[in-house]
Amino acid sequence: MRWPMLRRLYHSLLPGHGCPRRSLSSSFPVWRGAQELHGNIVHRSKDTFSSIQKQNAAFKPVLAVIQASVDDLTLQATKNFAQELGVDILHVRLPQRTSEAEIIDEILKLNEDPKVHGLVLHLAEPSVRVLNAVRPDKDVDGVTDVNLGKMVRSNAEEGFISPTASGVIELIEQMAHGSLEGKNVLIVGADGSLEAPLQCLLQKRGALSHVSSWQSQQLQTKLSAAEIVVIGSTKPQEIPVSWIKQGTIVVFSGGSEQSSDGLVGQAVGPLAAARRLENLAESSKRWFDAQKYKNWDLRCLKLQPVSPVPSDIMISRGQSPKAVNVLAKEVGLLADEIEMYGRSKAKVLLSVLERLKEQPNGKYVLVAGITPTPLGEGKSTVTIGLVQALTAHKNTNSFACLRQPSQGPTFGVKGGAAGGGYAQVIPMEEFNLHLTGDIHAITAANNLLAAAIDARILHENTQSDKALYNRLVPSINGVRNFSPIQIARLKKIGINKTDPGSLTTEEISRFVRLDIDPSTITWQRVLDTNDRFLRKITIGEANTEKGFSRQAQFDIAVASEIMAILALTDSLHDMKERFGRMVVASDKKGQPVTAEDLGITGALAVLMKDAIKPNLMQTLEGTPVFVHAGPFANIAHGSSSVLADKIALKLVGENGFVVTEAGFGADIGMEKFFNIKCRASGLVPNVVVLVATIRALKMHGGGPNVTAGAPLAKEYIDENLQLVQDGCCNLQKQIQISQQFGVPVVVALNIFKTDTQAEIDLVCKIAKQSGAFDAVPCNHWSFGGRGALQLAEAVMKAASQDTNFTYLYDLELPIVEKIRAIAQKVYGAADIELSPKAQSKIEVYTQQGFTKLPICMAKTHLSLSHQPEKKGVPTGFTLPISDVRASIGAGFIFPLVGTMSTMPGLPTRPCFYDIDLDPDTEEVKGLF
C-alpha cells in the first residue's frame, strides 16, 4: 500500500486540516504507532490469504460492499488495504434513498453468493432489521445480533467483533500507555451498532463507560469528567471544544471527522479498515476449512422391528426421517451444496466434487444377483440392509446409490422399488412417485428432440433453400446473426464463415438441408407409463402435416438415451457434449444426423440442468442414500449414476463404503456395469455382492414356474435340498462370471421365512466351494441393519483383498467380436447368429466410425440364454441377434437378442387397483 497517500488522506479528513490545531491529547503524534498497528494487522491478513492460496491457487477473496451513503475514510482505507492484499471488492452502489426492502434484497443475494466471503454495509442509518439480514458468517463488521451475542458470551472467536470497536480499543490502549482499568470513558454520538460492542469491550477491560448523545443536558459535565472521549458522529458547532478538558484522549470512531472548531484526536478509520480485512481473512479461512473433508457426525435412527413384519408402507410411516438438510450436514455437505425439495429429499450440487477432489475415494461395492425369478431376489433390499449394517451398527461411513424407479412398474406389475421390510428408503411414497421430477425432465427433453426431427423433415420438404435460410437465420431489427450452435454446424460441414450474408447458394443449401431419411429414424417418443398400445403408432395424420405421416412408436421414459446419458455423464459439460453426439437418424447419403445438427443441444441441457444433480434421501436407520437415474436395464446398462457414485465415494472418506446396484442378474447388470459404467467413470469396485434366494435356486434346479401375484408352489415352501443343490449351478455360473473380472465375490443369501437351516447351510457351502470369498445368510428384511451384520463383516474383509480387475474385451475389437465375447464368456453360448438386419446395421455403424464403443446387450433377464424358460445354466445354444442399435451419446452399441420390448404393458390386474389416496390425510395407500 502507498503509506504516504493514506497519510495525506488521513490528515485531510482530520478536523481543522490546514489550520493551527490545539491538541487535546498529549499523545496526538500517535500516527506512527497507529500506522504500525494496522501495518501488523495487514501483514497477518496477508499471511492468512497466502496460506489459503498455497493450498488452493484458484482461491480469490471477495469483500462485498453495499453502499447507500457518501464515501468516508474507513471505506477508502478498506479499498486501499484490499488492493494490497489482493482482495476483490464487489461494490454495490445504491441511491441514498433506497428502501429498506431493496437493501435487504441485495443483502440476501450476496448472502447466497458462494464467491463472497465478507459483506459490509455502508449505510447512513441502517435499521436493526437490515443489519440482521447479513449472514453472520459473512458479517465481517460484527453488526448482527448473532455476532454481538457471541462477543458478550466471550466466544467471539466463533463470530466477528466490530472492527471499529476493536480499533477504538487498540488506539485508546496505545494512547493511554497501559491498562484501561478504572478509566472513565464517554461514548458520545455513536449509533447502536458501535455502542454495544464498544461498551462490552471496555467493560471487559475494567473501564467505566458511559454513553451520551450530543443533545444530553449533562453533556458538559460528562465531557469534563471523562478521561477518554470516543466520538461517533460529527460534533455540533454549538458544543465548545473547551468542554473537553486538557489532556483528554479523543478518538474519532466514525468514518469522517468533520469539525469546524479545531477539535483534534486520533481517527480509527484506517485501523478499523485493517481490522475489517483481518475479519475477512478469518472468514475466508473458516470458509476454506469448511471446504475440507469433515468426519461424519451421523445420528442414526433407531429401529424396533416387530414380528410378523408389517407392510413396507406401514414400516416407512412408522419411522420419522431426519430433515434432509440435517442429514446433509452430518455427512459433510455444505449448506450451499444442497437444494431442498421439501423436508425429506434434496438435490446435491456437483460443486462438491471440485471441493473434495483431493479427498481419497472410499471402497466401492457392487450388488448384483443370480438369474432372478419374476418376483425379483431383493438386490435393492440387500443394498440398503448392507449400508444400514455398515453405518448404524459397524460405525463405518457408507452410502447407498440406487436407481430411481419408473412409474411404469410402480403402477404396473412390480410396485415400489424402495427396498422392503426393515431395509428401505424413506419416505417410500416420495421415492416411488415423481421424486424430484428427473424422469419428467427426461421425458420433456426426449420428446422435444422427437418433435424437432419431424418438424425439420416437414419444413425441408415444403420450403425452398432460401425460405428455409430466412427462417433459420431471421433478420431481427435489420440484423442477421448465426446462433452459436449454428456456427458449430457450419464448422462441422466445412464452412468457416460467421456472416450470414456471405454464404454462397451452395453453402446455404448444405447448411439448411439435413436431408433426414425418415426410414432411418431411431429416436422415439417416450412416456413413463406402461402403455402397450403405443408400441407401434402412426404419426402425422392431421391435414396440417400435408401427408408426411410415418410409423413410429413410444418407449418407456427410462429407455430414453437421455436417461442413459444422465447415468453415465460426469459433468454438465460432458452431458451437453453427449447430447450433441446423439444420433437420431441417417441422411439420404447414409451419414449420421445428430441432435447437434438439429440445433437443439442447448435446449436439452437447459431441461436437464437440475436432473443432473443426484437426489439425497435416507434409509430407515437414517443413513444416507443417493437416488439418481434409472436407465432401462435391458436396453441400457441398468445402473444408477456415475455422478452419485463419485460424490458418495468422496463423502464417505477413505475408509468408508459406497454400495451401488446393477440391474438384473450378474450376466446382464454386472457385465454392463464393468464394461460400460466402469469405462465411463474410471472407477473399479473392490467387492461384488451376489444376491441369491433359495426360491430362485429351486426354480433353476427344476422347480415349477413362478408367476407374480400367484401363490408359490409347495416346492418353494417345503424343504427340498435336491432342488437347491441342482439350482446352485446358476449361482456357480454367476460367481464364475464375476471372477472373470478379477473382483472378489461375497454371496448374500436373502432369507425368507420358508427357508430351512439345512438349505441355507447347503447354499453357503456350495458358494464358498465355487470360489466365493464368503457366503452369508442375510435377515435385513426382518431386522434391518442388524440382520446384515454378517454381510457387512464379510464385505469389509473382502474389500481389503487385492483386486486384479480386467475388462471382458478390448474396445478395439470389431463389433461382432465384442458381441461374441459376451455371448460365449458370459452367457455360455456356442456362438452368435446375426440377422441380415443386424449385419446391415453393424456395417453402417462401422462405416460411420462407431466401432470402438462398448456393447450393451438387450436380452431377457430371466435366463442366461435368450429363452426366458431356459433356467439353470443352458449351454451349446446359438444366440440370435435380431437387430443392432446405437446410443452414440451414451456411448454404446446395443444388440437386440431375440424380441425385446422397450414399452412394457399393463397386466390384467395392475398395481394401481390397490393404490389410493386418503382425501383427509393425503396419505397414499396400497403402494406396496
Side-chain angles (χ1 to χ4, degrees):
M1 175 176 182
R2 302 176 182 86
W3 291 112
M5 181 181 72
L6 182 59
R7 188 182 294 114
R8 289 195 300 272
L9 171 68
Y10 166 78
H11 283 301
S12 71
L13 291 173
L14 284 177
H17 174 66
C19 304
R21 292 193 294 262
R22 175 168 65 87
S23 175
L24 296 179
S25 170
S26 59
S27 58
F28 172 69
V30 75
W31 167 254
R32 294 187 181 278
Q35 178 176 322
E36 183 178 348
L37 275 176
H38 52 63
N40 290 337
I41 294 168
V42 170
H43 184 74
R44 290 198 301 270
S45 299
K46 183 178 291 186
D47 287 345
T48 301
F49 288 132
S50 296
S51 175
I52 296 172
Q53 286 166 336
K54 281 180 182 178
Q55 300 174 71
N56 181 1
F59 170 75
K60 184 71 174 178
V62 176
L63 176 66
V65 178
I66 296 179
Q67 182 177 5
S69 64
V70 297
D71 287 354
D72 63 16
L73 174 62
T74 305
L75 181 59
Q76 185 58 53
T78 297
K79 292 178 181 178
N80 290 335
F81 287 136
Q83 183 178 3
E84 180 184 5
L85 293 170
V87 172
D88 283 348
I89 298 287
L90 178 57
H91 204 153
V92 181
R93 299 178 186 272
L94 302 174
Q96 293 191 32
R97 292 186 179 181
T98 302
S99 70
E100 183 177 278
E102 290 172 318
I103 292 172
I104 289 175
D105 282 344
E106 293 295 337
I107 292 172
L108 296 179
K109 290 176 189 175
L110 294 170
N111 279 347
E112 300 308 314
D113 187 341
K115 296 178 182 177
V116 172
H117 305 101
L119 176 55
V120 169
L121 303 180
H122 196 68
L123 310 173
E125 295 180 1
S127 68
V128 172
R129 181 165 173 258
V130 168
L131 295 176
N132 281 319
V134 179
R135 213 168 79 178
D137 62 322
K138 294 188 178 184
D139 174 26
V140 293
D141 270 358
V143 297
T144 60
D145 288 349
V146 170
N147 281 321
L148 288 171
K150 288 178 179 178
M151 183 181 67
V152 171
R153 293 194 304 271
S154 299
N155 60 342
E157 67 278 355
E158 297 178 8
F160 296 107
I161 297 176
S162 163
T164 302
S166 59
V168 167
I169 295 297
E170 285 182 280
L171 280 181
I172 292 174
E173 286 178 331
Q174 187 185 61
M175 296 166 74
H177 301 295
S179 171
L180 298 185
E181 183 75 35
K183 299 287 186 181
N184 190 338
V185 182
L186 178 65
I187 305 168
V188 59
D191 61 29
S193 62
L194 172 63
E195 179 186 305
L198 188 53
Q199 278 200 288
C200 180
L201 293 175
L202 288 167
Q203 184 181 12
K204 289 178 185 294
R205 286 161 175 76
L208 304 174
S209 63
H210 309 278
V211 176
S212 177
S213 68
W214 289 113
Q215 291 75 35
S216 171
Q217 294 182 355
Q218 291 80 36
L219 179 60
Q220 182 176 0
T221 303
K222 293 177 181 178
L223 284 171
S224 61
E227 299 170 82
I228 301 168
V229 175
V230 179
I231 296 176
S233 59
T234 303
K235 180 182 74 64
Q237 291 185 0
E238 60 267 24
I239 305 297
V241 174
S242 59
W243 284 9
I244 302 176
K245 67 184 179 182
Q246 189 74 22
T248 299
I249 294 174
V250 177
V251 174
F252 295 104
S253 64
S256 179
E257 301 77 43
Q258 299 297 323
S259 178
S260 61
D261 53 9
L263 178 60
V264 176
Q266 179 64 59
V268 78
L271 191 54
R275 281 290 182 197
R276 174 183 280 171
L277 270 298
E278 185 178 43
N279 282 350
L280 179 71
E282 177 60 27
S283 171
S284 300
K285 182 178 181 299
R286 293 175 190 173
W287 173 86
F288 183 72
D289 288 343
Q291 307 304 301
K292 298 177 182 177
Y293 177 81
K294 291 290 189 300
N295 291 325
W296 285 18
D297 183 20
L298 192 71
R299 176 183 63 86
C300 293
L301 304 177
K302 298 296 182 184
L303 273 186
Q304 294 181 325
V306 297
S307 184
V309 177
S311 69
D312 291 349
I313 200 162
M314 286 181 65
I315 294 172
S316 176
R317 288 185 183 151
Q319 185 68 287
S320 296
K322 293 176 284 189
V324 72
N325 59 323
V326 172
L327 174 65
K329 184 177 181 181
E330 289 177 341
V331 300
L333 287 164
L334 306 181
D336 59 6
E337 289 174 340
I338 65 167
E339 295 171 351
M340 302 277 286
Y341 277 67
R343 187 178 182 276
S344 55
K345 54 189 182 292
K347 285 283 188 185
V348 174
L349 276 62
L350 307 188
S351 57
V352 66
L353 281 173
E354 176 62 25
R355 176 171 68 87
L356 297 179
K357 63 183 178 182
E358 302 302 326
Q359 170 66 25
N361 286 341
K363 303 292 187 182
Y364 199 27
V365 180
L366 173 65
V367 177
I370 65 169
T371 304
T373 69
L375 305 179
E377 309 317 310
K379 291 191 304 298
S380 299
T381 311
V382 168
T383 300
I384 297 162
L386 175 55
V387 295
Q388 289 181 170
L390 285 166
T391 300
H393 299 274
K394 300 293 291 182
N395 198 30
T396 299
N397 294 352
S398 71
F399 239 104
C401 291
L402 300 176
R403 287 183 295 165
Q404 178 184 350
S406 164
Q407 287 177 184
T410 298
F411 290 102
V413 176
K414 190 176 180 182
Y422 288 101
Q424 57 174 302
V425 180
I426 57 172
M428 66 97 76
E429 304 101 303
E430 295 186 29
F431 179 95
N432 285 298
L433 301 173
H434 303 296
L435 198 62
T436 56
D438 294 349
I439 294 181
H440 301 317
I442 288 163
T443 302
N446 184 100
N447 292 344
L448 177 63
L449 178 51
I453 295 167
D454 288 303
R456 185 59 176 261
I457 293 171
L458 172 69
H459 293 311
E460 287 190 26
N461 285 339
T462 56
Q463 296 180 50
S464 66
D465 289 352
K466 182 178 180 181
L468 272 172
Y469 192 60
N470 287 339
R471 286 175 171 83
L472 287 171
V473 193
S475 175
I476 301 174
N477 296 324
V479 178
R480 299 179 75 180
N481 286 304
F482 292 119
S483 68
I485 201 166
Q486 289 178 324
I487 291 175
R489 168 158 170 75
L490 286 168
K491 290 181 178 178
K492 179 180 176 180
I493 59 177
I495 301 173
N496 294 311
K497 295 179 180 179
T498 57
D499 178 8
S502 65
L503 267 66
T504 66
T505 302
E506 185 270 336
E507 288 172 336
I508 287 174
S509 180
R510 285 165 54 205
F511 173 72
V512 301
R513 296 286 170 190
L514 297 182
D515 281 332
I516 295 171
D517 180 352
S519 67
T520 66
I521 294 173
T522 55
W523 195 264
Q524 312 298 347
R525 288 162 174 81
V526 299
L527 188 70
D528 198 32
T529 301
N530 289 1
D531 191 342
R532 66 176 69 246
F533 287 93
L534 293 177
R535 289 172 177 170
K536 191 66 69 178
I537 59 173
T538 302
I539 61 173
E541 292 288 351
N543 292 334
T544 51
E545 273 49 78
K546 304 177 182 179
F548 293 106
S549 63
R550 67 179 180 89
Q551 275 204 334
Q553 68 183 58
F554 270 78
D555 295 335
I556 195 161
V558 291
S560 169
E561 184 176 353
I562 291 177
M563 174 62 92
I565 287 173
L566 177 66
L568 291 170
T569 190
D570 62 7
S571 67
L572 265 172
H573 180 78
D574 176 65
M575 182 175 74
K576 189 175 176 182
E577 285 193 342
R578 287 174 179 268
F579 286 165
R581 293 199 300 267
M582 292 188 301
V583 174
V584 299
S586 294
D587 64 20
K588 292 171 183 176
K589 295 179 181 178
Q591 294 305 304
V593 177
T594 67
E596 187 83 3
D597 293 327
L598 285 158
I600 201 170
T601 306
L604 300 180
V606 168
L607 287 171
M608 293 293 293
K609 70 180 180 65
D610 291 320
I612 195 174
K613 304 165 190 171
N615 305 293
L616 178 65
M617 295 187 76
Q618 64 194 283
T619 69
L620 277 166
E621 297 191 56
T623 68
V625 179
F626 275 139
V627 185
H628 196 217
F632 208 55
N634 291 110
I635 297 301
H637 62 289
S639 299
S640 63
S641 76
V642 166
L643 280 168
D645 290 357
K646 285 191 169 184
I647 293 173
L649 284 165
K650 296 297 182 185
L651 290 173
V652 296
E654 192 170 5
N655 297 314
F657 287 79
V658 171
V659 184
T660 191
E661 179 190 340
F664 297 143
D667 57 305
I668 299 181
M670 186 194 69
E671 181 273 312
K672 294 178 181 178
F673 185 96
F674 286 148
N675 284 314
I676 298 173
K677 185 175 179 180
C678 288
R679 277 189 163 105
S681 68
L683 301 172
V684 177
N686 300 88
V687 186
V688 169
V689 173
L690 195 61
V691 179
T693 59
I694 286 172
R695 71 184 183 190
L697 293 172
K698 287 180 175 179
M699 180 190 69
H700 288 296
N705 289 336
V706 174
T707 304
L712 287 172
K714 66 181 183 64
E715 287 88 344
Y716 298 106
I717 298 171
D718 299 336
E719 182 176 278
N720 191 323
L721 295 177
Q722 189 60 53
L723 271 183
V724 172
Q725 182 164 333
D726 293 345
C728 277
C729 62
N730 188 271
L731 173 61
Q732 291 171 304
K733 172 64 175 176
Q734 302 287 12
I735 292 172
Q736 291 167 8
I737 294 170
S738 304
Q739 289 175 326
Q740 289 188 68
F741 294 93
V743 181
V745 180
V746 173
V747 172
L749 187 59
N750 196 8
I751 301 301
F752 287 77
K753 63 182 179 181
T754 55
D755 301 340
T756 69
Q757 191 60 48
E759 291 172 330
I760 293 168
D761 292 342
L762 177 61
V763 173
C764 292
K765 177 184 175 182
I766 292 174
K768 292 176 187 177
Q769 290 174 344
S770 302
F773 177 86
D774 204 348
V776 295
C778 302
N779 290 286
H780 45 274
W781 186 82
S782 301
F783 301 105
R786 185 161 54 87
L789 276 172
Q790 276 186 272
L791 177 60
E793 291 164 358
V795 166
M796 293 173 79
K797 289 177 183 176
S800 65
Q801 306 295 304
D802 291 334
T803 59
N804 185 27
F805 179 76
T806 183
Y807 296 115
L808 188 70
Y809 51 80
D810 191 322
L811 291 181
E812 296 294 329
L813 287 173
I815 292 174
V816 171
E817 292 308 313
K818 285 182 280 195
I819 297 172
R820 181 174 284 113
I822 296 171
Q824 293 178 335
K825 296 179 182 179
V826 177
Y827 306 153
D831 204 351
I832 62 172
E833 182 180 37
L834 299 175
S835 71
K837 183 177 182 181
Q839 183 64 55
S840 173
K841 288 285 194 68
I842 290 173
E843 290 171 1
V844 169
Y845 297 142
T846 300
Q847 179 265 324
Q848 292 178 342
F850 301 139
T851 59
K852 295 183 181 180
L853 296 176
I855 302 299
C856 186
M857 300 288 278
K859 180 185 78 71
T860 178
H861 59 287
L862 296 174
S863 172
L864 285 164
S865 74
H866 57 288
Q867 297 171 295
E869 68 278 6
K870 298 289 185 182
K871 306 302 180 184
V873 184
T875 57
F877 59 92
T878 299
L879 192 74
I881 308 300
S882 60
D883 195 4
V884 178
R885 299 177 188 172
S887 291
I888 305 304
F892 53 73
I893 302 290
F894 62 100
L896 274 65
V897 180
T899 302
M900 288 298 304
S901 174
T902 53
M903 171 56 83
L906 290 172
T908 305
R909 191 187 188 283
C911 291
F912 62 64
Y913 275 84
D914 301 309
I915 297 173
D916 200 1
L917 180 72
D918 186 318
D920 297 319
T921 64
E922 296 187 9
E923 283 191 343
V924 177
K925 297 179 178 181
L927 189 57
F928 203 66

